[in-house]
Amino acid sequence: MSANATNKAMVRPVCRHCGSSEIVRDASARWDVTAQDWSLTGVYDCTFCDNCNGEGDSLAEWIEAEGTSPANVHRDHA
């Protein structure tokens, strides 16, 4: 993780219509023979809200995740 990223507050998406954090996006995965597991290869722009069934490319509003300011977030470094 970059030094710049560690100085930023963490965020989470919420629905612009209803405020729910039950936000999902479609993605594609391909089988990785070496890893013997599915590997995420793409995430699509359209966002969906499981709470109000809203959808759209700009549905998600990004807000600060409570209790996750840089001073109180524990990050492990490899």
Side-chain angles (χ1 to χ4, degrees):
M1 184 175 293
S2 73
N4 191 29
T6 60
N7 293 329
K8 292 183 180 179
M10 295 176 71
V11 296
R12 66 184 177 94
V14 295
C15 176
R16 289 186 188 280
H17 301 296
C18 71
S20 171
S21 60
E22 298 297 317
I23 300 293
V24 298
R25 289 177 70 179
D26 282 338
S28 60
R30 299 196 190 289
W31 183 252
D32 183 330
V33 174
T34 305
Q36 288 295 288
D37 201 358
W38 292 99
S39 175
L40 188 63
T41 57
V43 178
Y44 304 113
D45 291 337
C46 193
T47 307
F48 302 90
C49 176
D50 281 342
N51 187 59
C52 73
N53 295 319
E55 67 178 86
D57 291 354
S58 61
L59 177 73
E61 177 180 3
W62 294 90
I63 64 170
E64 184 175 343
E66 294 84 12
T68 59
S69 66
N72 61 9
V73 174
H74 173 71
R75 291 184 173 93
D76 293 324
H77 297 281

